[in-house]
């Protein structure tokens, strides 16, 4: 038997897990939620969520990072975790930013352009959810799924009012990333790290596949588009960078093109992240008797604890606070040692290093729960 990855072609978080499995040349099959085994899987996991990897022995792993870490513990051909301290910290930064900080452009470019996107999305969603459905059943399934995603988009700050700022911010990011990838095949050199796997989720599943953003990427940001292809091939595909091989950048170095991207992350993501941490700490303070090992909510599988307000690019936003983000943040903070601290300060990310929730978020049984007070 081989491992089976349950997900969807257009799923942001499935894209991260799929890319890793391909790059590590791990034998796996893909399956969709129409598979007869899916209801039992969702019951075992505790919620409807993708991706889920079912191992040959029947064990289930939900979440792309958890899937990566499972195989990293076994030993893989090209570890996603850099051995040197600065590279490791930078990789964790982009793991967090890709998975959490890019939700706004990913959802905007998917759901704000119905005239060009909707026909593709209908086919893509139905192909991933229930290919055999037709007529009224097909319509009901798609409207239900797309309706939930449109609400999610709004909860990430997507609106008609914020659209110009989202687009300007995203195009600036693409320009910086494209300039970096003109010199390096992957974020930190000759092979992907967890930073690449964090970024591939939004940049492939939404922004390189959906019609409107795909056209933008292909026409104006070729190096980024080519990187999305590279991240879905087992080979390194180093192209013009073959002479450097699959090593990471020498001497734990961070080129100016990557520092520019880090400065962008500081400007784009720090206000939201700080607001979410502050909201979570107020939320925790109101629940002094919250039992460690629970999420503090009536539904053990619920993901959000409320909405936090902040200023972003001239707009007053309110976005959903998901404890999963704090688990990712703690991974980053644990990776930032003295040698990386100076770099983070130089690029405007020093405030990030002080962001901590009063209780850590842990993942137990494929669910996010609060740990004991720090």
């Amino acid at each position: 038997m081989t491992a089976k990855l349950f997900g969807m072609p257009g799923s942001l978080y499935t894209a991260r897990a799929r890319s890793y499995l391909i790059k590590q040349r791990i034998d796996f099959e893909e399956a969709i939620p129409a598979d007869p085994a899916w209801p039992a899987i969702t019951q075992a996991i505790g919620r409807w969520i993708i991706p889920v990897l079912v191992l040959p022995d029947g064990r289930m792993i939900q979440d792309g990072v958890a899937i990566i870490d499972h195989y990293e513990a076994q030993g893989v051909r090209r570890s996603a975790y850099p051995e040197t301290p600065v590279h490791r910290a930078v990789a964790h930064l982009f793991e967090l930013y890709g998975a959490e900080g890019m939700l706004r452009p990913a959802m905007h470019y998917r759901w704000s352009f119905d005239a060009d996107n909707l026909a593709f999305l209908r086919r893509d969603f139905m192909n991933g959810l229930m290919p055999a459905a037709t007529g009224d059943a097909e319509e009901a399934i798609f409207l239900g799924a797309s309706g939930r995603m449109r609400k999610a988009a709004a909860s990430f700050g997507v609106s008609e009012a914020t659209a110009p700022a989202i687009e300007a911010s995203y195009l600036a990011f693409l320009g910086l990333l494209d300039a970096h990838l003109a010199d390096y095949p992957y974020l930190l050199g000759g092979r992907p790290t967890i930073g690449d796997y964090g970024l591939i989720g939004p940049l492939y599943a939404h922004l390189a596949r959906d019609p409107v953003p795909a056209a933008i990427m292909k026409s104006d940001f070729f190096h980024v588009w080519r990187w999305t292809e590279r991240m879905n091939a087992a080979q390194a595909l180093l192209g013009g960078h073959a002479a450097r091989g699959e090593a990471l950048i020498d001497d734990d170095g961070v080129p100016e093109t990557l520092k520019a991207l880090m400065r962008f992350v500081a400007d784009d993501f720090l206000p939201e992240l700080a607001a979410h941490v502050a909201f979570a700490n107020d939320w925790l303070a109101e629940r002094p008797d919250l039992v460690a090992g629970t999420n503090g909510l009536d539904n053990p599988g619920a993901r959000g604890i409320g909405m936090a307000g902040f200023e972003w690019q001239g707009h007053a936003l309110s976005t959903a606070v998901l404890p999963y983000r704090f688990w990712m943040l703690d991974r980053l903070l644990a990776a930032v040692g003295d040698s990386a601290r100076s770099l983070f300060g130089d690029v405007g990310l020093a405030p990030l290093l002080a962001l901590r929730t009063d209780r850590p978020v842990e993942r137990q049984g494929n669910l996010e729960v609060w740990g004991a007070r720090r």
Side-chain angles (χ1 to χ4, degrees):
M1 289 182 63
T2 60
K4 184 175 284 191
L5 181 68
F6 284 83
M8 289 174 58
S11 159
L12 188 152
Y13 295 112
T14 302
R16 172 172 55 188
R18 181 193 302 111
S19 175
Y20 179 84
L21 294 172
I22 290 170
K23 280 296 184 189
Q24 300 300 346
R25 301 179 187 172
I26 293 166
D27 189 23
F28 76 102
E29 298 176 357
E30 285 200 54
I32 60 175
D35 190 291
W38 183 243
I41 291 171
T42 60
Q43 184 175 8
I45 293 296
R47 58 190 175 192
W48 199 110
I49 191 169
I50 51 177
V52 176
L53 185 74
V54 180
L55 297 171
D57 63 7
R59 284 178 295 160
M60 301 176 192
I61 306 173
Q62 193 283 307
D63 180 63
V65 173
I67 290 168
I68 289 172
D69 284 353
H70 166 78
Y71 284 107
E72 289 285 323
Q74 315 297 312
V76 290
R77 59 182 299 272
R78 292 278 189 264
S79 175
Y81 292 94
E83 295 181 358
T84 51
V86 172
H87 282 175
R88 183 174 283 241
V90 171
H92 273 289
L93 173 68
F94 286 99
E95 175 191 45
L96 171 65
Y97 182 70
E100 298 296 309
M102 293 196 69
L103 293 174
R104 200 153 31 252
M107 297 300 268
H108 166 65
Y109 278 100
R110 172 159 288 181
W111 297 112
S112 300
F113 299 90
D114 282 357
D116 296 300
N117 281 351
L118 197 60
F120 170 79
L121 291 174
R122 182 184 297 274
R123 293 187 181 98
D124 199 44
F125 265 55
M126 293 310 303
N127 186 63
L129 286 170
M130 196 65 65
T134 59
D136 291 345
E138 177 184 4
E139 182 74 3
I141 292 169
F142 177 70
L143 289 179
S146 62
R148 289 190 296 272
M149 291 300 99
R150 290 182 194 274
K151 288 180 181 178
S155 77
F156 297 140
V158 175
S159 70
E160 186 175 348
T162 60
I166 294 171
E167 292 171 17
S169 176
Y170 174 60
L171 293 177
F173 171 78
L174 279 182
L176 294 170
L177 181 58
D178 197 70
H180 179 67
L181 293 174
D183 292 332
Y184 300 93
Y186 298 97
L187 198 63
L188 285 165
R191 65 177 184 268
T193 68
I194 50 170
D196 296 272
Y197 294 120
L199 291 172
I200 195 62
L203 284 170
Y204 173 68
H206 286 231
L207 298 164
R209 293 182 77 252
D210 295 355
V212 168
I216 292 170
M217 188 183 291
K218 288 180 179 180
S219 63
D220 297 331
F221 304 98
F222 173 83
H223 298 296
V224 179
W225 174 73
R226 182 66 181 126
W227 169 86
T228 66
E229 287 198 320
R230 195 177 294 129
M231 286 293 290
N232 282 286
Q235 297 78 22
L237 299 183
L238 298 178
H241 308 290
R244 295 182 179 181
E246 294 187 58
L248 299 184
I249 297 168
D250 292 339
D251 301 321
D252 212 14
V254 178
E256 288 302 319
T257 50
L258 192 51
K259 289 179 182 178
L261 274 167
M262 295 175 72
R263 292 187 183 96
F264 175 90
V265 171
D267 178 66
D268 188 69
F269 193 40
L270 265 181
E272 181 172 14
L273 195 57
H276 283 212
V277 170
F279 179 95
N281 285 335
D282 289 343
W283 187 89
L284 289 168
E286 294 169 358
R287 294 161 176 80
D289 299 326
L290 189 153
V291 177
T294 73
N295 68 354
L297 302 169
D298 293 336
N299 177 6
R303 302 197 69 211
I305 60 173
M307 302 286 286
F310 58 97
E311 291 291 323
W312 179 80
Q313 307 295 344
H315 294 271
L317 295 190
S318 183
T319 60
V321 180
L322 308 177
Y324 177 86
R325 183 171 295 186
F326 307 135
W327 179 66
M328 296 282 287
L329 173 62
D330 277 352
R331 287 167 56 86
L332 165 58
L333 296 177
V336 179
D338 292 340
S339 56
R341 192 170 295 274
S342 174
L343 169 64
F344 275 56
D346 289 345
V347 297
L349 284 165
L352 181 148
L353 304 182
L355 296 179
R356 281 179 173 79
T357 51
D358 294 337
R359 289 183 177 218
V361 174
E362 302 168 353
R363 297 197 85 243
Q364 297 178 9
N366 294 304
L367 300 175
E368 292 83 44
V369 299
W370 297 100
R373 292 196 176 274
R374 298 183 194 269

